[in-house]
Amino acid sequence: MKLFIDGETQTGSTTEWVINPSTGEKLQEVSLASTEQVDQAVRAARKAFPGWADTSPADRARALLKLADRLDDHAAELADLEAKNVGKPKFLADFEIPFIADNLRFFAGAARCLEGRSAGEYTAGRTSWIRREPIGVVAQIAPWNYPLMMAGWKIGPALAAGNTVVLKPSELTPLTTLRLAELAADLFPAGVFNVVNGYGATVGAALCQHPEVDMVSLTGDVGTGKEVARAASQGLKRVHLELGGKAPVIIYDDADLDLVVETVKFAGYMNTGQDCTAACRIYAQAGIHDKLVERLQAAINSMVVGEPNLEGCEMGPMISARQRDRVQGFLDRARASSKHLGFITGGQKINGKGFFLPPTVVTGARNDDEMVQREVFGPVITVTRFHDEAQALEWANGVDYGLSSSVWTRDLDKAMRATKHLHFGCVWVNDHGTLVSEMPHGGFKQSGYGKDMSSYALDDYTDAKHVMVRLAALS
Ligand code: NAD
């Protein structure tokens, strides 16, 4: 599969095989961009910018609506490709494609509702108003866990606002993004939407450093976010960062246990736990703790783990041998050094060469344990017992991350206090992981800054310009 630069597909300077994580075997040969091709893509985006910024919101909306329709028309093919490349269960990929299309349709509509919040006479003889201007050329760098969804979340607001884009998928999962470029080829003027595939250290870094890039948007690891922000600071580029998470799940004694177990089983192990919002850090009140652990054990034992098309598959492999070994490393260190921890592992027998790990619950976790403090990004949930509300909230907030959180109780007062005190970009009450195109997704603290989805994303991809007119000087 090829790159997409200046309205045309292009072979990369080299090629590489993308690996199927369910088998460890070669899946698809793809092009990798050279630094010259990155430069060519950025220059094409620069050249296309004035024309695209000048189109009417209705025209931009029409292009995005057509793109959403193309996704619907190719949903089965895209879901199949995504499931194979990421190793995610087919039902999950099937769910994602319509959600991405919905997101593009939201931004098609939102493009036509961009507004300045102030207009009027704020001093004698002058009238002011706000124009919302696109930023310019935006480099967008996506992760491997939700490749097409992250591509959609990025290009929707950027293109709707009149920016031009150079998008880099993760080198591990470029297939659906390269296919998206093919599907979009006739929908945007040449140069408006470009896709360059390659490694972070080469293609990603070249994008962040390019003098003609005005903004960099990254979804990725916290460490990568810091590197990207450092590189972008040389040109004082605008930076938009959606980084890691370590979501706390506070479960009070009065919670609906059936609902908790069903939701945590899904939101904790969805995408093999490779999810920035994963329900991975449970704080269970003393009265419900033991019942919860027992129920979670039964839940993970019954999980169907395997390749995406396996009948009833609920969880696939890790994305790579490296990620599997990284998660195994967390578990090995915890087993070796932390006598207070208990380990419950699903009973699945997984054969073959794929990068599989069984679902795991780690009990007796303390807030300063490595596994509680750091993003494991695998099928591992920790459970910590708490006694009172203040302790739960303090522990929940006591990490570097601030992306998402949830609280489970039937007591409205307790729930409302948690929504105020939990320092995260999202707080769910009696739910975990549900997202909608109309509401923002983005982190506090080291989970980054900037929002995906919703009209708040349009704020990030535009600049507010104050126009002031001295009326007396006009004839
Ligand atoms: P990663 O940071 O390794 O890679 C993300 C992207 O950055 C890839 O395309 C990679 O090639 C690129 N990259 C790496 N180094 C770079 C550099 N120096 N300069 C420019 N680009 C560079 O992340 P990942 O492992 O692909 O994804 C997992 C991470 O993403 C997790 O931490 C997860 O929490 C986070 N994530 C966050 C959200 C969110 O919305 N907050 C959503 C999905 C994933």
Side-chain angles (χ1 to χ4, degrees):
M1 294 178 90
K2 295 180 180 170
L3 316 173
F4 187 69
I5 298 173
D6 205 7
E8 299 198 338
T9 51
Q10 247 190 51
T11 308
S13 58
T14 52
T15 60
E16 187 174 82
W17 282 91
V18 169
I19 300 301
N20 180 343
S22 302
T23 61
E25 289 164 3
K26 288 175 176 174
L27 177 61
Q28 171 76 47
E29 196 172 13
V30 293
S31 285
L32 299 181
S34 64
T35 317
E36 291 71 32
Q37 286 173 312
V38 172
D39 182 55
Q40 200 190 338
V42 173
R43 289 188 190 286
R46 169 60 59 203
K47 192 157 146 257
F49 173 63
W52 183 245
D54 220 22
T55 52
S56 70
D59 285 344
R60 296 198 294 273
R62 241 186 309 276
L64 287 171
L65 290 172
K66 282 187 188 157
L67 183 57
D69 290 345
R70 292 265 161 97
L71 291 192
D72 284 344
D73 293 345
H74 294 80
E77 173 203 346
L78 288 165
D80 187 56
L81 203 55
E82 193 79 319
K84 277 198 187 109
N85 194 170
V86 186
K88 63 177 75 195
K90 188 63 180 13
F91 85 89
L92 195 54
D94 281 336
F95 166 81
E96 287 172 16
I97 310 300
F99 184 50
I100 302 164
D102 177 69
N103 207 255
L104 292 172
R105 290 193 179 102
F106 170 82
F107 283 110
R112 306 179 73 171
C113 307
L114 261 180
E115 57 182 27
R117 281 189 277 272
S118 321
E121 286 74 44
Y122 302 100
T123 189
R126 277 97 170 155
T127 298
S128 288
W129 64 89
I130 295 292
R131 287 178 57 94
R132 296 276 295 276
E133 306 286 9
I135 309 289
V137 175
V138 184
Q140 304 193 302
I141 303 176
W144 47 256
N145 54 349
Y146 294 97
L148 192 61
M149 186 145 75
M150 295 303 106
W153 286 13
K154 287 186 181 302
I155 65 174
L159 295 175
N163 302 282
T164 54
V165 162
V166 181
L167 173 66
K168 187 194 95 60
S170 164
E171 60 278 12
L172 296 172
T173 56
L175 302 188
T176 47
T177 307
L178 294 172
R179 182 69 183 120
L180 177 76
E182 290 171 1
L183 294 175
D186 61 332
L187 299 183
F188 301 97
V192 168
F193 173 48
N194 307 272
V195 175
V196 289
N197 180 43
Y199 284 82
T202 52
V203 173
L207 282 171
C208 297
Q209 288 157 13
H210 200 293
E212 292 291 341
V213 167
D214 301 299
M215 171 173 174
V216 183
S217 154
L218 165 82
T219 301
D221 181 65
V222 172
T224 311
K226 290 178 182 172
E227 271 184 57
V228 163
R230 226 180 344 259
S233 74
Q234 294 310 306
L236 285 180
K237 301 179 197 312
R238 181 179 286 215
V239 179
H240 182 276
L241 299 173
E242 295 289 354
L243 307 177
K246 190 77 200 174
V249 182
I250 300 179
I251 303 166
Y252 287 106
D253 286 344
D254 65 348
D256 178 337
L257 187 58
D258 290 341
L259 192 61
V260 168
V261 173
E262 183 193 325
T263 311
V264 167
K265 178 184 169 190
F266 183 68
Y269 298 101
M270 178 174 66
N271 219 34
T272 322
Q274 302 166 120
D275 187 311
C276 52
T277 67
C280 58
R281 189 161 60 99
I282 292 178
Y283 297 99
Q285 201 165 14
I288 202 169
H289 176 278
D290 293 353
K291 277 177 278 177
L292 174 75
V293 169
E294 197 180 303
R295 295 281 305 276
L296 281 177
Q297 175 159 20
I300 64 169
N301 267 326
S302 71
M303 276 177 83
V304 180
V305 180
E307 58 90 22
N309 286 313
L310 179 71
E311 179 76 29
C313 180
E314 293 175 280
M315 197 179 96
M318 302 288 303
I319 187 65
S320 62
R322 184 160 166 258
Q323 284 298 323
R324 181 200 54 201
D325 296 347
R326 182 177 165 277
V327 174
Q328 192 61 57
F330 275 106
L331 289 164
D332 292 346
R333 286 193 295 282
R335 278 202 168 90
S337 64
S338 306
K339 298 283 172 275
H340 55 279
L341 295 174
F343 297 85
I344 302 168
T345 295
Q348 296 81 2
K349 295 270 168 292
I350 301 151
N351 299 316
K353 295 190 193 127
F355 311 130
F356 289 95
L357 276 178
T360 299
V361 176
V362 178
T363 58
R366 295 178 186 153
N367 229 43
D368 56 357
D369 285 335
E370 182 193 31
M371 224 184 273
V372 174
Q373 287 295 318
R374 289 191 50 203
E375 188 181 43
V376 175
F377 224 56
V380 182
I381 285 176
T382 61
V383 183
T384 302
R385 189 192 303 263
F386 75 90
H387 293 276
D388 64 60
E389 184 177 336
Q391 190 178 50
L393 293 174
E394 186 191 328
W395 282 345
N397 284 331
V399 294
D400 288 339
Y401 302 94
L403 186 59
S404 57
S405 57
S406 66
V407 57
W408 297 78
T409 177
R410 289 185 167 92
D411 178 336
L412 185 60
D413 280 346
K414 249 189 274 171
M416 294 304 280
R417 282 195 296 274
T419 63
K420 177 174 177 194
H421 290 292
L422 286 171
H423 197 51
F424 293 82
C426 175
V427 183
W428 287 285
V429 178
N430 297 328
D431 198 3
H432 197 111
T434 307
L435 301 174
V436 289
S437 299
E438 293 80 357
M439 295 304 275
H441 172 76
F444 292 0
K445 295 159 73 177
Q446 294 205 19
S447 291
Y449 37 80
K451 302 294 178 195
D452 283 333
M453 305 202 289
S454 81
S455 58
Y456 292 91
L458 277 184
D459 288 347
D460 291 337
Y461 285 100
T462 53
D463 251 335
K465 180 191 282 176
H466 170 205
V467 179
M468 181 182 267
V469 179
R470 185 190 291 215
L471 295 170
L474 295 175
S475 54

PDB file of all heavy atoms in Angstrom, residues 60-90:
ATOM      1  N   ARG A  60     -16.851  22.472   2.571  1.00  0.00           N
ATOM      2  CA  ARG A  60     -16.026  21.571   3.398  1.00  0.00           C
ATOM      3  C   ARG A  60     -16.914  20.495   4.026  1.00  0.00           C
ATOM      4  O   ARG A  60     -16.536  19.326   4.117  1.00  0.00           O
ATOM      5  CB  ARG A  60     -15.279  22.365   4.472  1.00  0.00           C
ATOM      6  CG  ARG A  60     -14.271  23.353   3.872  1.00  0.00           C
ATOM      7  CD  ARG A  60     -13.242  23.808   4.875  1.00  0.00           C
ATOM      8  NE  ARG A  60     -13.771  24.597   5.962  1.00  0.00           N
ATOM      9  CZ  ARG A  60     -13.941  25.923   5.941  1.00  0.00           C
ATOM     10  NH1 ARG A  60     -13.636  26.605   4.845  1.00  0.00           N
ATOM     11  NH2 ARG A  60     -14.406  26.565   6.985  1.00  0.00           N
ATOM     12  N   ALA A  61     -18.092  20.909   4.454  1.00  0.00           N
ATOM     13  CA  ALA A  61     -19.035  19.944   5.049  1.00  0.00           C
ATOM     14  C   ALA A  61     -19.398  18.867   4.023  1.00  0.00           C
ATOM     15  O   ALA A  61     -19.430  17.681   4.355  1.00  0.00           O
ATOM     16  CB  ALA A  61     -20.286  20.664   5.531  1.00  0.00           C
ATOM     17  N   ARG A  62     -19.637  19.300   2.795  1.00  0.00           N
ATOM     18  CA  ARG A  62     -20.022  18.326   1.766  1.00  0.00           C
ATOM     19  C   ARG A  62     -18.931  17.267   1.578  1.00  0.00           C
ATOM     20  O   ARG A  62     -19.207  16.081   1.465  1.00  0.00           O
ATOM     21  CB  ARG A  62     -20.286  19.041   0.431  1.00  0.00           C
ATOM     22  CG  ARG A  62     -21.717  18.866  -0.057  1.00  0.00           C
ATOM     23  CD  ARG A  62     -21.931  19.438  -1.445  1.00  0.00           C
ATOM     24  NE  ARG A  62     -21.469  20.798  -1.626  1.00  0.00           N
ATOM     25  CZ  ARG A  62     -22.177  21.890  -1.299  1.00  0.00           C
ATOM     26  NH1 ARG A  62     -23.378  21.764  -0.784  1.00  0.00           N
ATOM     27  NH2 ARG A  62     -21.680  23.096  -1.492  1.00  0.00           N
ATOM     28  N   ALA A  63     -17.671  17.720   1.549  1.00  0.00           N
ATOM     29  CA  ALA A  63     -16.562  16.776   1.365  1.00  0.00           C
ATOM     30  C   ALA A  63     -16.492  15.789   2.541  1.00  0.00           C
ATOM     31  O   ALA A  63     -16.297  14.579   2.347  1.00  0.00           O
ATOM     32  CB  ALA A  63     -15.248  17.538   1.221  1.00  0.00           C
ATOM     33  N   LEU A  64     -16.674  16.300   3.759  1.00  0.00           N
ATOM     34  CA  LEU A  64     -16.615  15.410   4.926  1.00  0.00           C
ATOM     35  C   LEU A  64     -17.797  14.443   4.948  1.00  0.00           C
ATOM     36  O   LEU A  64     -17.653  13.280   5.343  1.00  0.00           O
ATOM     37  CB  LEU A  64     -16.569  16.238   6.220  1.00  0.00           C
ATOM     38  CG  LEU A  64     -15.231  16.946   6.486  1.00  0.00           C
ATOM     39  CD1 LEU A  64     -15.360  17.913   7.653  1.00  0.00           C
ATOM     40  CD2 LEU A  64     -14.115  15.946   6.770  1.00  0.00           C
ATOM     41  N   LEU A  65     -18.956  14.919   4.523  1.00  0.00           N
ATOM     42  CA  LEU A  65     -20.124  14.020   4.468  1.00  0.00           C
ATOM     43  C   LEU A  65     -19.900  12.906   3.461  1.00  0.00           C
ATOM     44  O   LEU A  65     -20.259  11.744   3.705  1.00  0.00           O
ATOM     45  CB  LEU A  65     -21.390  14.813   4.123  1.00  0.00           C
ATOM     46  CG  LEU A  65     -21.884  15.764   5.229  1.00  0.00           C
ATOM     47  CD1 LEU A  65     -23.015  16.645   4.710  1.00  0.00           C
ATOM     48  CD2 LEU A  65     -22.335  14.985   6.458  1.00  0.00           C
ATOM     49  N   LYS A  66     -19.284  13.271   2.335  1.00  0.00           N
ATOM     50  CA  LYS A  66     -19.001  12.228   1.329  1.00  0.00           C
ATOM     51  C   LYS A  66     -17.997  11.224   1.882  1.00  0.00           C
ATOM     52  O   LYS A  66     -18.106  10.018   1.637  1.00  0.00           O
ATOM     53  CB  LYS A  66     -18.443  12.869   0.053  1.00  0.00           C
ATOM     54  CG  LYS A  66     -19.507  13.519  -0.806  1.00  0.00           C
ATOM     55  CD  LYS A  66     -18.896  13.973  -2.115  1.00  0.00           C
ATOM     56  CE  LYS A  66     -19.889  14.802  -2.911  1.00  0.00           C
ATOM     57  NZ  LYS A  66     -19.250  15.682  -3.882  1.00  0.00           N
ATOM     58  N   LEU A  67     -17.019  11.733   2.620  1.00  0.00           N
ATOM     59  CA  LEU A  67     -16.036  10.817   3.205  1.00  0.00           C
ATOM     60  C   LEU A  67     -16.726   9.859   4.192  1.00  0.00           C
ATOM     61  O   LEU A  67     -16.444   8.653   4.207  1.00  0.00           O
ATOM     62  CB  LEU A  67     -14.922  11.617   3.913  1.00  0.00           C
ATOM     63  CG  LEU A  67     -13.787  10.794   4.501  1.00  0.00           C
ATOM     64  CD1 LEU A  67     -13.097   9.928   3.452  1.00  0.00           C
ATOM     65  CD2 LEU A  67     -12.751  11.686   5.190  1.00  0.00           C
ATOM     66  N   ALA A  68     -17.644  10.410   4.994  1.00  0.00           N
ATOM     67  CA  ALA A  68     -18.394   9.556   5.936  1.00  0.00           C
ATOM     68  C   ALA A  68     -19.174   8.490   5.171  1.00  0.00           C
ATOM     69  O   ALA A  68     -19.202   7.315   5.574  1.00  0.00           O
ATOM     70  CB  ALA A  68     -19.332  10.414   6.780  1.00  0.00           C
ATOM     71  N   ASP A  69     -19.766   8.887   4.046  1.00  0.00           N
ATOM     72  CA  ASP A  69     -20.518   7.906   3.236  1.00  0.00           C
ATOM     73  C   ASP A  69     -19.590   6.815   2.697  1.00  0.00           C
ATOM     74  O   ASP A  69     -19.946   5.642   2.651  1.00  0.00           O
ATOM     75  CB  ASP A  69     -21.215   8.601   2.051  1.00  0.00           C
ATOM     76  CG  ASP A  69     -22.371   9.475   2.508  1.00  0.00           C
ATOM     77  OD1 ASP A  69     -22.798   9.326   3.670  1.00  0.00           O
ATOM     78  OD2 ASP A  69     -22.829  10.316   1.704  1.00  0.00           O
ATOM     79  N   ARG A  70     -18.393   7.233   2.290  1.00  0.00           N
ATOM     80  CA  ARG A  70     -17.433   6.228   1.777  1.00  0.00           C
ATOM     81  C   ARG A  70     -17.096   5.214   2.877  1.00  0.00           C
ATOM     82  O   ARG A  70     -16.965   4.028   2.613  1.00  0.00           O
ATOM     83  CB  ARG A  70     -16.118   6.906   1.346  1.00  0.00           C
ATOM     84  CG  ARG A  70     -16.249   7.791   0.136  1.00  0.00           C
ATOM     85  CD  ARG A  70     -15.878   7.064  -1.157  1.00  0.00           C
ATOM     86  NE  ARG A  70     -16.431   7.793  -2.282  1.00  0.00           N
ATOM     87  CZ  ARG A  70     -15.756   8.668  -3.031  1.00  0.00           C
ATOM     88  NH1 ARG A  70     -14.477   8.878  -2.800  1.00  0.00           N
ATOM     89  NH2 ARG A  70     -16.336   9.308  -4.013  1.00  0.00           N
ATOM     90  N   LEU A  71     -16.937   5.723   4.109  1.00  0.00           N
ATOM     91  CA  LEU A  71     -16.647   4.793   5.214  1.00  0.00           C
ATOM     92  C   LEU A  71     -17.801   3.803   5.377  1.00  0.00           C
ATOM     93  O   LEU A  71     -17.578   2.602   5.536  1.00  0.00           O
ATOM     94  CB  LEU A  71     -16.438   5.548   6.530  1.00  0.00           C
ATOM     95  CG  LEU A  71     -15.195   6.407   6.679  1.00  0.00           C
ATOM     96  CD1 LEU A  71     -15.005   6.822   8.127  1.00  0.00           C
ATOM     97  CD2 LEU A  71     -13.950   5.674   6.224  1.00  0.00           C
ATOM     98  N   ASP A  72     -19.012   4.316   5.333  1.00  0.00           N
ATOM     99  CA  ASP A  72     -20.174   3.413   5.456  1.00  0.00           C
ATOM    100  C   ASP A  72     -20.174   2.391   4.319  1.00  0.00           C
ATOM    101  O   ASP A  72     -20.400   1.202   4.548  1.00  0.00           O
ATOM    102  CB  ASP A  72     -21.481   4.219   5.404  1.00  0.00           C
ATOM    103  CG  ASP A  72     -21.744   4.951   6.710  1.00  0.00           C
ATOM    104  OD1 ASP A  72     -21.101   4.602   7.722  1.00  0.00           O
ATOM    105  OD2 ASP A  72     -22.575   5.878   6.708  1.00  0.00           O
ATOM    106  N   ASP A  73     -19.909   2.884   3.097  1.00  0.00           N
ATOM    107  CA  ASP A  73     -19.946   1.982   1.934  1.00  0.00           C
ATOM    108  C   ASP A  73     -18.866   0.900   2.022  1.00  0.00           C
ATOM    109  O   ASP A  73     -19.013  -0.175   1.431  1.00  0.00           O
ATOM    110  CB  ASP A  73     -19.739   2.768   0.624  1.00  0.00           C
ATOM    111  CG  ASP A  73     -20.903   3.707   0.349  1.00  0.00           C
ATOM    112  OD1 ASP A  73     -21.951   3.534   0.991  1.00  0.00           O
ATOM    113  OD2 ASP A  73     -20.747   4.625  -0.483  1.00  0.00           O
ATOM    114  N   HIS A  74     -17.759   1.214   2.674  1.00  0.00           N
ATOM    115  CA  HIS A  74     -16.645   0.250   2.763  1.00  0.00           C
ATOM    116  C   HIS A  74     -16.471  -0.270   4.191  1.00  0.00           C
ATOM    117  O   HIS A  74     -15.377  -0.723   4.555  1.00  0.00           O
ATOM    118  CB  HIS A  74     -15.344   0.909   2.272  1.00  0.00           C
ATOM    119  CG  HIS A  74     -15.371   1.238   0.815  1.00  0.00           C
ATOM    120  ND1 HIS A  74     -15.997   2.360   0.333  1.00  0.00           N
ATOM    121  CD2 HIS A  74     -14.899   0.580  -0.254  1.00  0.00           C
ATOM    122  CE1 HIS A  74     -15.895   2.390  -0.995  1.00  0.00           C
ATOM    123  NE2 HIS A  74     -15.233   1.317  -1.371  1.00  0.00           N
ATOM    124  N   ALA A  75     -17.526  -0.192   4.976  1.00  0.00           N
ATOM    125  CA  ALA A  75     -17.409  -0.524   6.406  1.00  0.00           C
ATOM    126  C   ALA A  75     -16.899  -1.956   6.626  1.00  0.00           C
ATOM    127  O   ALA A  75     -16.015  -2.183   7.464  1.00  0.00           O
ATOM    128  CB  ALA A  75     -18.751  -0.326   7.101  1.00  0.00           C
ATOM    129  N   ALA A  76     -17.429  -2.895   5.862  1.00  0.00           N
ATOM    130  CA  ALA A  76     -17.052  -4.296   6.093  1.00  0.00           C
ATOM    131  C   ALA A  76     -15.567  -4.494   5.790  1.00  0.00           C
ATOM    132  O   ALA A  76     -14.832  -5.129   6.569  1.00  0.00           O
ATOM    133  CB  ALA A  76     -17.901  -5.210   5.222  1.00  0.00           C
ATOM    134  N   GLU A  77     -15.121  -3.920   4.670  1.00  0.00           N
ATOM    135  CA  GLU A  77     -13.710  -4.054   4.267  1.00  0.00           C
ATOM    136  C   GLU A  77     -12.783  -3.380   5.301  1.00  0.00           C
ATOM    137  O   GLU A  77     -11.770  -3.961   5.716  1.00  0.00           O
ATOM    138  CB  GLU A  77     -13.548  -3.375   2.897  1.00  0.00           C
ATOM    139  CG  GLU A  77     -12.117  -3.279   2.421  1.00  0.00           C
ATOM    140  CD  GLU A  77     -11.924  -2.159   1.388  1.00  0.00           C
ATOM    141  OE1 GLU A  77     -12.920  -1.645   0.845  1.00  0.00           O
ATOM    142  OE2 GLU A  77     -10.749  -1.816   1.144  1.00  0.00           O
ATOM    143  N   LEU A  78     -13.168  -2.163   5.718  1.00  0.00           N
ATOM    144  CA  LEU A  78     -12.313  -1.425   6.673  1.00  0.00           C
ATOM    145  C   LEU A  78     -12.267  -2.131   8.025  1.00  0.00           C
ATOM    146  O   LEU A  78     -11.202  -2.225   8.656  1.00  0.00           O
ATOM    147  CB  LEU A  78     -12.837   0.007   6.836  1.00  0.00           C
ATOM    148  CG  LEU A  78     -12.607   0.921   5.628  1.00  0.00           C
ATOM    149  CD1 LEU A  78     -13.463   2.183   5.733  1.00  0.00           C
ATOM    150  CD2 LEU A  78     -11.123   1.287   5.489  1.00  0.00           C
ATOM    151  N   ALA A  79     -13.411  -2.631   8.473  1.00  0.00           N
ATOM    152  CA  ALA A  79     -13.444  -3.317   9.773  1.00  0.00           C
ATOM    153  C   ALA A  79     -12.580  -4.576   9.734  1.00  0.00           C
ATOM    154  O   ALA A  79     -11.858  -4.890  10.687  1.00  0.00           O
ATOM    155  CB  ALA A  79     -14.885  -3.665  10.149  1.00  0.00           C
ATOM    156  N   ASP A  80     -12.634  -5.269   8.610  1.00  0.00           N
ATOM    157  CA  ASP A  80     -11.847  -6.487   8.474  1.00  0.00           C
ATOM    158  C   ASP A  80     -10.342  -6.174   8.514  1.00  0.00           C
ATOM    159  O   ASP A  80      -9.564  -6.836   9.215  1.00  0.00           O
ATOM    160  CB  ASP A  80     -12.226  -7.154   7.135  1.00  0.00           C
ATOM    161  CG  ASP A  80     -11.581  -8.507   6.996  1.00  0.00           C
ATOM    162  OD1 ASP A  80     -11.797  -9.332   7.906  1.00  0.00           O
ATOM    163  OD2 ASP A  80     -10.854  -8.733   5.999  1.00  0.00           O
ATOM    164  N   LEU A  81      -9.972  -5.118   7.781  1.00  0.00           N
ATOM    165  CA  LEU A  81      -8.558  -4.709   7.729  1.00  0.00           C
ATOM    166  C   LEU A  81      -8.075  -4.265   9.116  1.00  0.00           C
ATOM    167  O   LEU A  81      -6.984  -4.627   9.564  1.00  0.00           O
ATOM    168  CB  LEU A  81      -8.449  -3.544   6.727  1.00  0.00           C
ATOM    169  CG  LEU A  81      -7.131  -3.247   6.071  1.00  0.00           C
ATOM    170  CD1 LEU A  81      -6.577  -4.477   5.362  1.00  0.00           C
ATOM    171  CD2 LEU A  81      -7.293  -2.095   5.055  1.00  0.00           C
ATOM    172  N   GLU A  82      -8.928  -3.468   9.791  1.00  0.00           N
ATOM    173  CA  GLU A  82      -8.557  -2.952  11.118  1.00  0.00           C
ATOM    174  C   GLU A  82      -8.417  -4.104  12.117  1.00  0.00           C
ATOM    175  O   GLU A  82      -7.468  -4.159  12.905  1.00  0.00           O
ATOM    176  CB  GLU A  82      -9.637  -1.969  11.592  1.00  0.00           C
ATOM    177  CG  GLU A  82      -9.230  -1.128  12.782  1.00  0.00           C
ATOM    178  CD  GLU A  82      -8.333   0.036  12.388  1.00  0.00           C
ATOM    179  OE1 GLU A  82      -7.435  -0.156  11.527  1.00  0.00           O
ATOM    180  OE2 GLU A  82      -8.503   1.133  12.933  1.00  0.00           O
ATOM    181  N   ALA A  83      -9.391  -5.026  12.056  1.00  0.00           N
ATOM    182  CA  ALA A  83      -9.370  -6.158  12.996  1.00  0.00           C
ATOM    183  C   ALA A  83      -8.090  -6.979  12.802  1.00  0.00           C
ATOM    184  O   ALA A  83      -7.418  -7.350  13.765  1.00  0.00           O
ATOM    185  CB  ALA A  83     -10.608  -7.023  12.803  1.00  0.00           C
ATOM    186  N   LYS A  84      -7.739  -7.217  11.534  1.00  0.00           N
ATOM    187  CA  LYS A  84      -6.534  -8.027  11.265  1.00  0.00           C
ATOM    188  C   LYS A  84      -5.269  -7.294  11.709  1.00  0.00           C
ATOM    189  O   LYS A  84      -4.377  -7.862  12.325  1.00  0.00           O
ATOM    190  CB  LYS A  84      -6.431  -8.288   9.761  1.00  0.00           C
ATOM    191  CG  LYS A  84      -7.268  -9.444   9.301  1.00  0.00           C
ATOM    192  CD  LYS A  84      -6.781  -9.901   7.928  1.00  0.00           C
ATOM    193  CE  LYS A  84      -7.696 -10.954   7.366  1.00  0.00           C
ATOM    194  NZ  LYS A  84      -8.493 -10.491   6.237  1.00  0.00           N
ATOM    195  N   ASN A  85      -5.177  -5.992  11.372  1.00  0.00           N
ATOM    196  CA  ASN A  85      -3.942  -5.250  11.639  1.00  0.00           C
ATOM    197  C   ASN A  85      -3.712  -5.038  13.137  1.00  0.00           C
ATOM    198  O   ASN A  85      -2.599  -5.157  13.635  1.00  0.00           O
ATOM    199  CB  ASN A  85      -3.991  -3.909  10.893  1.00  0.00           C
ATOM    200  CG  ASN A  85      -2.645  -3.199  10.803  1.00  0.00           C
ATOM    201  OD1 ASN A  85      -2.507  -2.219  10.093  1.00  0.00           O
ATOM    202  ND2 ASN A  85      -1.638  -3.674  11.503  1.00  0.00           N
ATOM    203  N   VAL A  86      -4.797  -4.726  13.869  1.00  0.00           N
ATOM    204  CA  VAL A  86      -4.638  -4.446  15.301  1.00  0.00           C
ATOM    205  C   VAL A  86      -4.800  -5.721  16.133  1.00  0.00           C
ATOM    206  O   VAL A  86      -4.360  -5.783  17.274  1.00  0.00           O
ATOM    207  CB  VAL A  86      -5.653  -3.362  15.755  1.00  0.00           C
ATOM    208  CG1 VAL A  86      -5.419  -2.949  17.200  1.00  0.00           C
ATOM    209  CG2 VAL A  86      -5.568  -2.126  14.861  1.00  0.00           C
ATOM    210  N   GLY A  87      -5.484  -6.713  15.543  1.00  0.00           N
ATOM    211  CA  GLY A  87      -5.752  -7.944  16.301  1.00  0.00           C
ATOM    212  C   GLY A  87      -6.961  -7.794  17.195  1.00  0.00           C
ATOM    213  O   GLY A  87      -7.092  -8.485  18.199  1.00  0.00           O
ATOM    214  N   LYS A  88      -7.864  -6.859  16.826  1.00  0.00           N
ATOM    215  CA  LYS A  88      -9.012  -6.652  17.713  1.00  0.00           C
ATOM    216  C   LYS A  88     -10.187  -7.510  17.257  1.00  0.00           C
ATOM    217  O   LYS A  88     -10.328  -7.796  16.062  1.00  0.00           O
ATOM    218  CB  LYS A  88      -9.391  -5.180  17.796  1.00  0.00           C
ATOM    219  CG  LYS A  88      -9.841  -4.525  16.532  1.00  0.00           C
ATOM    220  CD  LYS A  88     -10.250  -3.079  16.807  1.00  0.00           C
ATOM    221  CE  LYS A  88      -9.077  -2.150  17.018  1.00  0.00           C
ATOM    222  NZ  LYS A  88      -9.377  -0.882  17.590  1.00  0.00           N
ATOM    223  N   PRO A  89     -11.052  -7.903  18.204  1.00  0.00           N
ATOM    224  CA  PRO A  89     -12.212  -8.706  17.821  1.00  0.00           C
ATOM    225  C   PRO A  89     -13.022  -7.993  16.748  1.00  0.00           C
ATOM    226  O   PRO A  89     -13.158  -6.771  16.774  1.00  0.00           O
ATOM    227  CB  PRO A  89     -13.025  -8.814  19.117  1.00  0.00           C
ATOM    228  CG  PRO A  89     -12.062  -8.526  20.206  1.00  0.00           C
ATOM    229  CD  PRO A  89     -11.017  -7.614  19.647  1.00  0.00           C
ATOM    230  N   LYS A  90     -13.557  -8.775  15.844  1.00  0.00           N
ATOM    231  CA  LYS A  90     -14.284  -8.218  14.709  1.00  0.00           C
ATOM    232  C   LYS A  90     -15.453  -7.340  15.167  1.00  0.00           C
ATOM    233  O   LYS A  90     -15.701  -6.278  14.579  1.00  0.00           O
ATOM    234  CB  LYS A  90     -14.772  -9.382  13.841  1.00  0.00           C
ATOM    235  CG  LYS A  90     -15.384  -9.011  12.529  1.00  0.00           C
ATOM    236  CD  LYS A  90     -14.390  -8.318  11.625  1.00  0.00           C
ATOM    237  CE  LYS A  90     -14.958  -7.910  10.280  1.00  0.00           C
ATOM    238  NZ  LYS A  90     -16.380  -7.950  10.121  1.00  0.00           N
TER     239      LYS A  90
END
